[in-house]
Amino acid sequence: MSSMILRATDRVATETPWLTSSHSFSFGDHYDPTNTHHGVLMVHNEDTIATGQGFDTHPHAETEILTWVLSGSLVHQDSEGNSGLIHPGLAQRMSAGTGVLHSERNDHATSTDPVHLIQMWVWPDENGLDPSYEQRDVTADLTPGSLVPIASGDRAHDSAIRIANSGATLYAVRLNAGGAATVPTGRFTHLFVTAGAVTVDGDRLDTADALRATDFGGSTITATTDSEVLIWSMSKRLGE
């Protein structure tokens, strides 16, 4: 087993008048050949988008894109005719497949605050699939201490939404202060604290800190404060 902690302050960021985007991996103009992915997780961005702003229509292909909103709401529209309002507790996935155009904006009619979200990209098992879209509200499943499979392509997991990668599962867990959960076993693990503070194997992780590990699992996550954690458990790396 090996592991490392990436602190929130160690991430590079893209900043514009309407966007702050902190990148856990190489992204855009920020390229580091030693930090391009973990397992099959290629992108893990924490974005804050100002009211009335966002990403106008742009293309994607051959990528599974998952969005988890922490606060506010995000309006999704794409060239396949899909649209959705993504809010906290809603799992959302867009499979770009052979190619799709989409926009993501903080311009819902009742929006008055920035939207704060995590966006994650993983590679599909195969190219050439048709573009598709899926969303599902999992708020009722997120009872404190429950490890909820949010998205998976692994047939062993009955996740809220499905992705086109058989070796990847995304879990979410919410913990009250003092509560605990067990990290799933995986060849590659990426653990990210979206809110609060937790300890894992004696290491404290605060909001926006991440733990990356190989051959990891069975450790206990204990919440120091009320917390939420996203965990990717992956059985393969890129190219496998």
Side-chain angles (χ1 to χ4, degrees), residues 125 151-157 159 161-170:
D125 284 337
S152 182
D154 187 340
R155 293 181 180 179
H157 297 294
S159 59
I161 56 177
R162 305 303 293 173
I163 57 176
N165 189 299
S166 60
T169 300
L170 172 64

Side-chain angles (χ1 to χ4, degrees), residues 48-224:
T48 301
I49 303 171
T51 304
Q53 301 291 333
F55 300 99
D56 291 325
T57 302
H58 58 284
H60 285 287
E62 311 301 358
T63 312
E64 302 288 289
I65 300 173
L66 295 103
T67 301
W68 185 254
V69 170
L70 305 179
S71 62
S73 59
L74 185 73
V75 177
H76 166 96
Q77 293 182 313
D78 66 44
S79 55
E80 295 294 302
N82 300 302
S83 62
L85 181 66
I86 313 166
H87 53 77
L90 185 93
Q92 185 255 22
R93 177 268 299 164
M94 185 183 76
S95 296
T98 54
V100 68
L101 301 172
H102 83 140
S103 62
E104 300 165 295
R105 293 185 55 84
N106 180 12
D107 57 7
H108 187 245
T110 62
S111 175
T112 58
D113 297 314
V115 59
H116 184 197
L117 61 95
I118 307 297
Q119 188 165 96
M120 300 154 282
W121 301 4
V122 298
W123 232 240
D125 284 337
E126 58 181 297
N127 292 342
L129 301 175
D130 291 334
S132 63
Y133 180 87
E134 187 178 11
Q135 65 179 46
R136 180 177 168 188
D137 194 321
V138 296
T139 305
D141 299 322
L142 291 167
T143 56
S146 297
L147 194 67
V148 180
I150 296 298
S152 182
D154 187 340
R155 293 181 180 179
H157 297 294
D158 184 18
S159 59
I161 56 177
R162 305 303 293 173
I163 57 176
N165 189 299
S166 60
T169 300
L170 172 64
Y171 300 88
V173 60
R174 292 178 177 173
L175 297 168
N176 293 332
T182 301
V183 180
T185 299
R187 186 175 164 208
F188 299 94
T189 299
H190 184 277
L191 187 154
F192 184 85
V193 182
T194 63
V198 302
T199 59
V200 182
D201 288 344
D203 292 314
R204 179 182 170 108
L205 301 175
D206 292 300
T207 301
D209 288 346
L211 181 147
R212 300 179 197 175
T214 58
D215 300 320
F216 189 74
S219 295
T220 300
I221 308 170
T222 303
T224 305

